[in-house]
Amino acid sequence: MDLPASRGRWRRRSARSHVPLVVAILVLLLPASLLFSSAYSTMLRALFPFPSTPGGADTPRPRCGGSAELEGERFLWYAPHSGFSNQVGEFRNAAVAAALLNRTLVVPPVLYHHAVVLGSCPKFRVTDPASLRAAVWDHAMQLLLDRRYVSMGDIVDLSSIKSMVRTIDFRVFVSLWCGVDMRKACFSRLCCAVSGGSSIPDDYNRCRSLMSGLGGSEKGCVYPVQDDCRTTVWTYQQNDDGALDLFQPDEELKRRKKISYVRRRRDIYKALGPGSQAEDATLLAFGTLFSGPYRGSESYFDIHESPKDQRIQRVLDKIEFLPFAPEIMAAGKEFAKNNIKEPFLCAQLRLLDGQFKNHWKTTFSALKEKLKSVELEMKGNKTSGLIHMFIMTDLPPANWTKTFLANVATDERYKLYTLKESDELVLQTAEKLMAAEHGVRSGFLPKLIESMEKDCDPVQLPEILLSIEESVCSCASLGFVGTAGSTIAGSIETMRKNNVCKL
């Protein structure tokens, strides 16, 4: 089954001048086209891109999806974006929102790094929620076409929140709610059994329209949340519903960018819970749920504690740290134990991505200071020998020349260790991870699934090098030094704080 192609993939050919020949061909093909009009129409729809704006002539009219299996359930969906660590942060906020609003969380795929971009909340320049959701849908379908789909639930261990937050894998949800065939996004038998659907292109377009909210709100079906970080900071039980947030666009920005936004703090339960317009909708669709501190405020989601609601407080406590899947954690420990074998230091050096490419000096200075500290500690303990160091960086070894990394690599005082995506440990771990099907198994499944299991052509193995590297760094007994401001460094610090590695 071929999905509708991504926008821009197909280019219109220039018109031909052989008009009589074209007319003759059309006359000859007319009987066949009448005979096979249904199949021909389906083929054409498969070649054209998804509609991107509501109300167009080709826009399929949304019909609320559903199946007997999902009767009575209500769901929450959102649009992840940017890098993996940001996507994990969004997932944690989404889990809190789902628990607050008593909805089943649709667990999304892991998106390619920056395949979907939000923009800048501090600069009040962001993609609107409907367009963001549509971009996530389109990327998910591209992952399906490329057979490179991996669920957030495959990479992150959701077992700690399973009793408090109901979840359903995106593939299972889309196949049941929209009737869309998602088997090309599966690696193993169970996923194939519960992710089947129709092969009609209109189902993909209809589901895109429903889940993105491009067709607007539909009573009893979809409620698309249009509030974003330009206007809203979500809170819960803080007695500040409707109050102005501390951070507002300054007068110069208002004048230069013609901004009229006012940021208000809104209680998410009052706005989207019982008694609200959103309450009856089967699907509540957010845009981004990513948030971070900025100038004394949160950019969008400011729910970190709930002293009045112990159930939500337990959720907040649990989502503060979500470990990687057991296969990934085991791989990190195995590398530390069998390859490094000695106490070691971990250095996470982010040098090429975004703002970090302009801060090499700061990053290398932090590493120099950490090495001095380790050396002094070893002298104080009267310990001699090499300093073993695991390096995780986005700068390829071939480009280390004339950098501080090159100096360290040639210094006889240090012994360096790295991992590559092509290493046997990484590949074997990826295969074990996908075969485990954590993403599908951790959430809602149709009844009588065991008798339904069937084989399918597996997707390609995911790139999990970064996750395994973080797991290795959690085992670094000589300490850790990371790039300032990197969410990856923050993730590693959280892992180390929770003592996940016990060699």
Coordinates of all heavy atoms in Angstrom, one line a residue, residues 449-483:
I449 N -5.4 -11.0 21.9 CA -4.3 -10.7 21.0 C -3.4 -11.9 20.7 O -2.8 -12.0 19.7 CB -3.4 -9.6 21.6 CG1 -2.9 -9.9 23.0 CG2 -4.2 -8.3 21.6 CD1 -1.9 -9.0 23.5
E450 N -3.3 -12.8 21.7 CA -2.3 -13.9 21.5 C -2.7 -14.8 20.3 O -1.8 -15.3 19.6 CB -2.3 -14.8 22.8 CG -1.8 -14.1 24.0 CD -0.4 -13.5 23.8 OE1 0.4 -14.2 23.1 OE2 -0.1 -12.5 24.4
S451 N -4.0 -15.0 20.1 CA -4.4 -15.8 18.9 C -4.2 -15.0 17.6 O -4.4 -15.6 16.5 CB -5.8 -16.3 19.1 OG -6.7 -15.2 19.2
M452 N -4.0 -13.7 17.7 CA -3.9 -12.9 16.5 C -2.5 -12.7 16.0 O -2.3 -12.2 14.9 CB -4.5 -11.5 16.8 CG -6.0 -11.5 17.1 SD -6.5 -10.0 17.8 CE -6.0 -8.8 16.5
E453 N -1.5 -13.1 16.7 CA -0.1 -12.7 16.4 C 0.3 -13.3 15.0 O -0.1 -14.5 14.7 CB 0.9 -13.2 17.5 CG 0.8 -12.5 18.8 CD 1.9 -12.7 19.7 OE1 3.0 -13.1 19.2 OE2 1.7 -12.5 20.9
K454 N 1.0 -12.5 14.2 CA 1.4 -13.0 12.9 C 2.7 -12.3 12.5 O 3.0 -11.2 13.0 CB 0.3 -12.7 11.9 CG -0.2 -11.3 11.8 CD -1.4 -11.2 10.9 CE -2.0 -9.8 10.8 NZ -3.2 -9.7 10.0
D455 N 3.4 -12.9 11.6 CA 4.7 -12.3 11.1 C 4.4 -11.1 10.2 O 3.4 -11.0 9.6 CB 5.5 -13.4 10.4 CG 5.9 -14.5 11.3 OD1 6.2 -14.2 12.5 OD2 6.0 -15.7 10.9
C456 N 5.5 -10.3 10.1 CA 5.5 -9.2 9.2 C 6.9 -8.9 8.8 O 7.8 -9.4 9.4 CB 4.8 -8.0 9.8 SG 5.7 -7.3 11.3
D457 N 7.1 -8.1 7.8 CA 8.4 -7.6 7.4 C 8.8 -6.6 8.4 O 8.2 -5.5 8.5 CB 8.3 -7.1 6.0 CG 8.0 -8.1 4.9 OD1 8.3 -9.3 5.1 OD2 7.3 -7.8 3.9
P458 N 9.9 -6.8 9.1 CA 10.3 -5.9 10.1 C 10.9 -4.5 9.6 O 11.4 -4.5 8.5 CB 11.4 -6.6 10.9 CG 12.0 -7.6 9.9 CD 10.9 -7.9 9.0
V459 N 10.7 -3.5 10.4 CA 11.3 -2.2 10.2 C 12.8 -2.3 10.4 O 13.3 -3.3 10.9 CB 10.7 -1.1 11.1 CG1 9.2 -0.9 10.9 CG2 11.0 -1.4 12.5
Q460 N 13.5 -1.3 9.9 CA 14.9 -1.2 10.1 C 15.2 -1.0 11.6 O 14.4 -0.4 12.3 CB 15.6 -0.1 9.3 CG 15.4 -0.3 7.8 CD 16.1 0.8 7.0 OE1 17.3 1.0 7.2 NE2 15.4 1.4 6.1
L461 N 16.4 -1.4 12.0 CA 16.8 -1.2 13.4 C 17.0 0.3 13.7 O 17.5 1.0 12.8 CB 18.1 -1.9 13.7 CG 18.0 -3.5 13.6 CD1 19.4 -4.1 13.8 CD2 17.1 -4.0 14.7
P462 N 16.6 0.8 14.8 CA 16.7 2.2 15.2 C 18.1 2.6 15.6 O 18.9 1.7 15.9 CB 15.8 2.3 16.4 CG 15.8 1.0 17.1 CD 15.9 0.0 15.9
E463 N 18.4 3.8 15.4 CA 19.7 4.4 15.9 C 19.6 4.7 17.4 O 19.0 5.7 17.8 CB 20.1 5.6 15.1 CG 20.2 5.3 13.6 CD 20.5 6.5 12.8 OE1 20.5 7.7 13.3 OE2 20.8 6.4 11.5
I464 N 20.2 3.9 18.2 CA 20.1 4.0 19.6 C 21.5 4.3 20.3 O 21.6 4.2 21.5 CB 19.5 2.7 20.3 CG1 20.3 1.5 20.0 CG2 18.0 2.6 19.8 CD1 19.9 0.3 20.7
L465 N 22.4 4.7 19.5 CA 23.8 4.9 20.0 C 23.8 6.0 21.1 O 24.4 5.8 22.2 CB 24.7 5.5 18.9 CG 26.1 5.9 19.3 CD1 26.9 4.7 19.9 CD2 26.9 6.5 18.1
L466 N 23.0 7.1 20.9 CA 23.0 8.1 21.9 C 22.5 7.6 23.3 O 23.0 7.9 24.3 CB 22.1 9.3 21.5 CG 22.0 10.5 22.4 CD1 23.3 11.1 22.7 CD2 21.0 11.5 21.8
S467 N 21.4 6.8 23.2 CA 20.9 6.2 24.5 C 21.8 5.3 25.2 O 21.9 5.4 26.4 CB 19.6 5.5 24.1 OG 18.6 6.3 23.5
I468 N 22.5 4.5 24.4 CA 23.5 3.6 25.0 C 24.7 4.4 25.6 O 25.2 4.1 26.7 CB 24.0 2.5 24.0 CG1 22.9 1.6 23.6 CG2 25.2 1.7 24.6 CD1 23.3 0.6 22.6
E469 N 25.1 5.4 24.9 CA 26.2 6.3 25.4 C 25.8 6.9 26.8 O 26.6 7.0 27.7 CB 26.5 7.4 24.4 CG 27.3 6.9 23.2 CD 27.5 8.0 22.2 OE1 26.7 8.9 22.1 OE2 28.6 8.0 21.6
E470 N 24.5 7.4 26.8 CA 24.0 8.0 28.1 C 24.1 6.9 29.2 O 24.4 7.2 30.4 CB 22.6 8.5 27.9 CG 22.6 9.8 27.1 CD 21.2 10.4 27.1 OE1 20.4 10.2 28.1 OE2 20.8 11.0 26.1
S471 N 23.7 5.7 28.9 CA 23.7 4.6 29.8 C 25.1 4.3 30.3 O 25.4 4.1 31.5 CB 23.1 3.3 29.2 OG 23.1 2.3 30.1
V472 N 26.1 4.4 29.4 CA 27.5 4.2 29.8 C 27.9 5.3 30.8 O 28.6 5.0 31.8 CB 28.4 4.2 28.5 CG1 29.9 4.2 29.0 CG2 28.1 3.0 27.6
C473 N 27.6 6.5 30.4 CA 27.9 7.6 31.3 C 27.3 7.5 32.7 O 27.9 8.1 33.7 CB 27.5 9.0 30.6 SG 28.6 9.4 29.2
S474 N 26.2 6.9 32.8 CA 25.6 6.7 34.1 C 26.5 5.8 35.0 O 26.3 5.8 36.3 CB 24.2 6.1 34.0 OG 24.2 4.8 33.6
C475 N 27.4 5.1 34.4 CA 28.3 4.2 35.2 C 29.6 4.8 35.5 O 30.5 4.1 36.1 CB 28.5 2.9 34.4 SG 27.0 2.0 34.0
A476 N 29.9 6.0 35.1 CA 31.2 6.6 35.2 C 31.5 7.0 36.7 O 31.1 8.0 37.2 CB 31.3 7.9 34.4
S477 N 32.3 6.1 37.4 CA 32.6 6.3 38.8 C 33.5 7.5 39.1 O 33.6 7.9 40.2 CB 33.1 5.0 39.4 OG 34.3 4.6 38.7
L478 N 34.3 7.9 38.1 CA 35.2 9.1 38.3 C 34.5 10.4 38.1 O 35.1 11.4 38.2 CB 36.4 8.9 37.4 CG 37.4 7.8 37.7 CD1 38.6 7.9 36.8 CD2 37.8 7.8 39.2
G479 N 33.3 10.3 37.7 CA 32.5 11.6 37.5 C 32.1 11.8 36.1 O 32.3 11.0 35.2
F480 N 31.4 12.9 35.9 CA 30.8 13.3 34.6 C 31.0 14.8 34.3 O 30.9 15.6 35.2 CB 29.4 12.9 34.6 CG 28.6 13.5 33.4 CD1 28.8 13.0 32.1 CD2 27.7 14.6 33.6 CE1 28.1 13.6 31.0 CE2 27.0 15.1 32.5 CZ 27.2 14.6 31.3
V481 N 31.3 15.1 33.1 CA 31.4 16.5 32.7 C 30.6 16.6 31.4 O 30.8 15.9 30.4 CB 32.8 17.0 32.5 CG1 33.6 16.2 31.5 CG2 32.8 18.5 32.0
G482 N 29.6 17.6 31.3 CA 28.8 17.7 30.1 C 28.8 19.1 29.6 O 29.2 20.1 30.3
T483 N 28.3 19.2 28.4 CA 28.1 20.6 27.8 C 27.1 21.4 28.5 O 25.9 20.9 28.6 CB 27.8 20.4 26.3 OG1 28.9 19.6 25.7 CG2 27.7 21.7 25.6

